[in-house]
Amino acid sequence: MGWKTLDRITPKHDTEAGPILNEAVRDKIRSFFPRYETKRAVLLPALHIVQDALGHVSYQAMAEIAEVLEIPPSAVLDTLTFYTHFWDHDKGKKVAVVCRSLSCQLMGADAVLDECKKELGIDEHGTTEDGSFSLVTEECLAACDYAPCVLINEKMHKCVKPEQVAKLLKDAKNAEIEPERSDLFDAPAAGAAPAPSEKNNGDEAVASNDDDDVLGKTSDVDEMRDS
Amino acid sequence: MAKFEPVLSKNFDKPNAHKLSVYKSGGGYAAAEKVIKEMAPDDVVERVKESGLRGRGGAGFPCGVKWTFLPADRETTYLCVNADESEPGTFCNRFLMENDPHQLLEGILIAGHATRTTVAYIYMRVEFHEQFHILQKALDEAYDAGLFGKNIFGTDFSMECYIHRGAGAYVCGEETGLIESLEGKRGWPRIKPPFPAIEGAFSKPTVVNNVETLCCLPHIFERGVDWFQSLGTENSKGPKLYTISGPVKRPGCYEAPLGITCRELIFGDDFGQGMRDGLGVKGCIPGGLSVGVLTEEELDCVLDFDDVRNYGLLGLGTAGAIVIPDNADIRQVLMNVARFYSHESCGQCTQCREGTNWAYKVASRIARGAGRISDLDLMVDITTNMGMMPGLSICGLPDGAAFPMRTIVQKFRAEFEDHIRRQPPGVVEETLRKTNAAIYELPILGRA
């Protein structure tokens, strides 16, 4: 949650390629306006929607959110960097969050985390080369009765034993949840997202692993622009 | 004592309890209808004050009194529901939202009527994914049934209710941090006064209440103030959801009148049912991480708003107990606690930002096996000099950080000293040279 400095001199994105947020996304953000007194208050919902649509919130996306909300882009960056949930660089299609707080640690979360690292071949805050998984640790997930717990996208896996980790991470359905979903904070379904059933933006492949240069180049962005 | 009949958790085991029809079949929304149709807002506030309901979010401030701070001539009032449950060891709000969302919505209706709320925001932490979907669907259903929106129950009371999802920050559970986050800013707590009741969200009068507090409201009006007062101890009235985690046989969320002991919570048949695998209890953090620790001898502490203070704890907190088994390394526990607060400190106040990080460095040094006896005094020193208690911070987070770290060091000092004495000689200097290599390469220090 520290401050972040920004290189404003090197151009980070192709400005001639046009906006990366399509009208459907912008309309969805605007649909939150009546809920709040100020437009800035829509920022958190907007970031959720954009992260769902693009997989992460790039600097250009921040600038375009600022445009929709009529606030300075720096305000968007300011807010975004405070929260651990938002990614300003590419993340994996699925994000595995291992809880590291006291209850989970007492029940063996360290072993689960080590097993995750070994299985995915990445360290904390890393993303696998094929872009399928990111691994992070987080403070209490409020599921201490089921410690140790691992959150994969929206699905909470409870009482995870180290020997179950490999199977869990390979399971194709490990991010599906039981309750009926509400699409309030999701990317708009109509025409924008390639696979609406897929929770995290459904990007087919992550084109680039270069953190600085992902803007406007990932396949989902191209598809969004085409649609 | 007669067998206690659970109220807050009565629907937890019902199938499809999140459906409106199921909730209504159990007499749901009758209390809200009665209150909104028959009672004036000020009478509702008065009744809640009489009941002695105290906030369940940690500070234990009387709920009705909080509502009276609102200015009388206000036009807009916001109600923020604090569902940003991030305190380690606490998960009762999660139970309430995933198993009985309509109970919360009914509580919001009653609180909204009492405070003449125009818009209610449920600030929900983002890690509650399943709970969000359940609650949002329940809210949609309630809107369709005309329970929110314009002219609720045919009266001229209108209120909107929205869910606002957070984004992963512990400090947004602090009421002004929550309001800042709601406004789309960094979740930095505000300097008080002005208090939220005067100038809160969007500079309008705002009430911030915890999920469990609001869930108590329907029952107060359904069963009456006398029933509510018959439960609990002298200054702590009503039912409470106690949660217990750690290596007990039956971790989970259990309802009891306020005032059970910590020992009952761990060993009671209705609660934790004792330790698993023949483990013993080394200590217990009885109310969410921030309150501090109880040793095995202190387990008879009564978990209400008063008795906990006799044991050097911050307060009741959220009554989420974490049991530390006797095979746990107390140094690791201290390190984990210190890491949590150094990660979650928002960075506004110097004492908290630097203090929590310093404490984490000291704690991890001890945990690595390179501690010094003087580090223990240093920990106590750091933690007594960073919080709201000496008046050095904006919010209570550094106090919440200080109490567990200080009580762990003080109450388990002998164990820490034992660990430190058994360290091989020279390990402290060696570790220092490794961690601060650059300094030791400087010409003067290098010679030393």
Side-chain angles (χ1 to χ4, degrees), chain B residues 135-368:
Chain B
L135 189 60
Q136 181 63 45
K137 288 286 172 196
L139 185 59
D140 291 346
E141 227 180 334
Y143 258 104
D144 289 344
L147 294 166
F148 285 97
K150 293 246 175 304
N151 301 91
I152 298 163
F153 296 122
T155 62
D156 52 5
F157 170 58
S158 303
M159 174 169 81
E160 302 293 333
C161 181
Y162 304 120
I163 298 179
H164 184 92
R165 297 189 83 180
Y170 171 68
V171 78
C172 291
E174 203 273 347
E175 57 179 6
T176 52
L178 185 150
I179 289 168
E180 285 284 303
S181 181
L182 181 73
E183 291 181 3
K185 300 172 189 160
R186 299 169 82 85
W188 277 358
R190 292 176 183 170
I191 295 173
K192 287 154 274 190
F195 286 93
I198 311 295
E199 215 173 280
F202 312 109
S203 302
K204 300 281 162 51
T206 303
V207 182
V208 185
N209 278 137
N210 181 264
V211 167
E212 198 184 340
T213 319
L214 295 177
C215 287
C216 288
L217 294 175
H219 305 294
I220 293 177
F221 290 95
E222 195 186 314
R223 290 159 190 254
V225 170
D226 293 338
W227 163 81
F228 194 81
Q229 293 224 320
S230 71
L231 301 171
T233 56
E234 197 188 344
N235 289 321
S236 317
K237 300 292 182 197
K240 175 87 188 82
L241 291 177
Y242 287 93
T243 60
I244 181 159
S245 60
V248 290
K249 283 196 184 124
R250 211 172 61 127
C253 175
Y254 307 106
E255 186 175 352
L258 272 162
I260 61 168
T261 66
C262 192
R263 197 179 295 279
E264 260 178 274
L265 185 58
I266 300 172
F267 295 101
D269 281 341
D270 295 339
F271 306 105
Q273 293 183 349
M275 302 294 285
R276 57 171 83 157
D277 308 330
L279 292 168
V281 180
K282 175 176 282 185
C284 178
I285 293 177
L289 198 59
S290 295
V291 299
V293 72
L294 294 172
T295 60
E296 211 274 327
E297 296 82 53
E298 294 173 331
L299 288 185
D300 290 315
C301 169
V302 177
L303 299 179
D304 65 9
F305 289 106
D306 300 314
D307 194 41
V308 283
R309 293 187 205 274
N310 301 335
Y311 295 85
L313 304 183
L314 179 61
L316 176 66
T318 50
I322 305 173
V323 184
I324 303 167
D326 56 1
N327 65 350
D329 186 342
I330 197 71
R331 298 174 297 175
Q332 292 295 334
V333 173
L334 179 67
M335 200 273 286
N336 190 302
V337 173
R339 182 178 63 191
F340 175 77
Y341 293 102
S342 81
H343 181 259
E344 296 297 347
S345 171
C346 80
Q348 247 191 135
C349 313
T350 316
Q351 280 76 9
C352 172
R353 182 185 64 234
E354 303 300 323
T356 50
N357 277 299
W358 189 6
Y360 174 42
K361 279 182 199 161
V362 175
S364 49
R365 185 161 71 212
I366 299 172
R368 273 204 309 269

Side-chain angles (χ1 to χ4, degrees), chain B residues 424-446:
Chain B
V427 68
V428 174
E429 290 72 20
E430 206 179 301
T431 319
L432 276 177
R433 272 178 192 273
K434 257 188 225 159
T435 43
N436 294 332
I439 294 178
Y440 281 85
E441 276 159 22
L442 290 172
I444 299 168
L445 275 173

Side-chain angles (χ1 to χ4, degrees), chain B residues 78 110 117 128 138 157 176 216 222 236 278 403-404 413 422 424:
Chain B
Y78 291 113
I110 295 173
T117 293
F128 282 160
F157 170 58
T176 52
C216 288
E222 195 186 314
S236 317
F403 272 78
R413 184 160 181 130
R422 278 193 278 133

Side-chain angles (χ1 to χ4, degrees), chain A residues 13 19 29 47 56 69 71 91 127 166 190 192 198 202:
Chain A
H13 54 84
I29 294 172
L47 289 168
H56 67 284
L69 302 185
I71 54 175
K91 64 173 166 49
T127 302
E198 194 63 65

Side-chain angles (χ1 to χ4, degrees), chain A residues 98-158:
Chain A
V98 183
C99 178
R100 65 176 191 184
S101 276
L102 189 56
S103 298
C104 284
Q105 193 186 28
L106 290 171
M107 301 300 283
D110 291 344
V112 172
L113 179 63
D114 287 343
E115 198 60 34
C116 286
K117 284 181 187 169
K118 207 174 86 190
E119 197 57 39
L120 296 172
I122 48 176
D123 209 353
E124 271 174 58
H125 300 279
T127 302
T128 52
E129 287 200 2
D130 61 352
S132 59
F133 252 110
S134 291
L135 177 67
V136 291
T137 53
E138 230 169 76
E139 298 301 347
C140 194
L141 297 173
C144 315
D145 47 342
Y146 299 117
C149 52
V150 179
L151 185 71
I152 298 181
N153 281 1
E154 294 200 331
K155 173 73 182 167
M156 181 74 78
H157 295 276
K158 300 160 175 172

Side-chain angles (χ1 to χ4, degrees), chain B residues 5-21:
Chain B
E5 181 204 345
V7 283
L8 292 170
S9 58
K10 67 177 178 191
N11 290 337
F12 282 10
D13 296 328
K14 269 191 199 170
N16 287 325
H18 58 278
K19 294 259 189 266
L20 181 61
S21 53

